[in-house]
Amino acid sequence: MRKVWNVIKKIALVIVVVLLGTLAFVLFINPISFFIWSLIVPGFASRLLHDSEMGFVGEIIDAMDEWVVKLLPWYAKRRFIEADLLRNFSGKVQFKYFRKENHTADCLKQMDEEGVQYTWNHGSYEERGMIAEVPLKLTDEQFKWLLKNGFNDAARTYLGTYTPTNGNYKALLKAIVEGNEKAVDTFLAAVVRYGISSSRLTSVLDSAEYTDALKTSLKDAVWRFGQKSLVQRYQDTCYRCEFSDFCQQNKTICEEAQSRMALWQYEVYHKTGHKLSPAVVVSILKGGAPAWARQIFSFEPNFGIESESTQAIVNANPELLRILIAVRQSKQVR
């Protein structure tokens, strides 16, 4: 009788599960019911569609009802956009949500390539600038558009993230010839950060289209890129001798190279008679790294405190202040 009873319980459990599953399908899961729920309580329906904890059942709901969302009016559809990634929708819907509901850079970051391109093609001048300032990947033509329409700050921000293409450099040089003074700063900053091909460098230096002032600045930018790259190349301690020779052979080492030194390189840098620039000292102390702070306080004149802003940074950080006091006391003892 016990075995019979166990069999009956299992059968009853199966029947209950089937009945509940059927009820759930009728009331919630089938597309018609899901559409009705989406109209009445779109927030509940969006959670039902995108609930990752529902496992296999959630996959069934997603497969059966995802297309239903496209038929919903906007007031309901936007709740699904809020509950799920924006990029799951068409470029047109992504742009509409950006324009009507969430006109921010964070919303742009959630878009896929289709959404970004649709926004670029149908958005305003200012919205194109927002895309570049995020920044999101642009084509050469889109980058050229930024320079032509005065979005110089956006163009510079863009090149702070993405390596300039051949088309980007061409657009910058053309803008410089056309009198865009801000394009000069953007071009030089890109050269310092990423370098420039020898052929393009030669073509600029040999061309009569560019001023002597630009050519002089370009040579300086190339010099800075070279020093920065060498410091990065010599990061491993096995290059101690090579880096020491580099420091001894150069009376001046640019800020870009200084700011990329490893701690052991800074020690060699100091031993070969060099000092950090005040701007680099400020940048390093803002990071608050104790080992770097200890070396700066030990190596630099006046403990590296050359300005009120530097002193304020140290005073605002109890750990830096403690290290500074310890270094001062150790030097007094000596």
Side-chain angles (χ1 to χ4, degrees), residues 82-152:
E82 292 169 357
D84 192 26
L85 290 175
L86 184 62
R87 60 176 59 95
N88 284 357
F89 296 85
S90 68
K92 183 177 181 180
V93 171
Q94 293 180 54
F95 174 65
K96 183 176 181 179
Y97 182 78
F98 166 69
R99 177 67 69 81
K100 296 185 65 174
E101 307 292 340
N102 190 4
H103 200 256
T104 65
D106 287 338
C107 184
L108 288 172
K109 292 177 184 178
Q110 297 177 33
M111 291 185 179
D112 60 13
E113 185 176 354
E114 180 186 353
V116 172
Q117 293 305 318
Y118 192 95
T119 302
W120 180 275
N121 293 331
H122 295 83
S124 64
Y125 278 18
E126 290 73 17
E127 287 166 342
R128 289 185 174 187
M130 288 177 66
I131 290 175
E133 289 172 352
V134 167
L136 299 171
K137 185 66 175 177
L138 301 178
T139 65
D140 289 347
E141 286 299 316
Q142 289 169 340
F143 182 80
K144 186 188 298 184
W145 183 93
L146 292 178
L147 296 173
K148 284 185 177 180
N149 290 275
F151 288 93
N152 294 288

Side-chain angles (χ1 to χ4, degrees), residues 12-57:
L13 180 61
V14 171
I15 293 173
V16 170
V17 170
V18 171
L19 289 175
L20 290 176
T22 303
L23 184 63
F25 178 83
V26 171
L27 293 180
F28 302 106
I29 300 177
N30 78 85
I32 296 176
S33 299
F34 187 79
F35 180 79
I36 294 172
W37 282 112
S38 297
L39 293 175
I40 299 173
V41 280
F44 165 76
S46 65
R47 289 192 296 272
L48 186 67
L49 184 62
H50 300 298
D51 191 344
S52 60
E53 297 181 357
M54 296 184 68
F56 179 68
V57 175

Side-chain angles (χ1 to χ4, degrees), residues 53-70:
E53 297 181 357
M54 296 184 68
F56 179 68
V57 175
E59 294 179 8
I60 294 176
I61 297 174
D62 188 62
M64 292 188 61
D65 299 326
E66 186 176 22
W67 63 274
V68 174
V69 178
K70 298 179 180 179

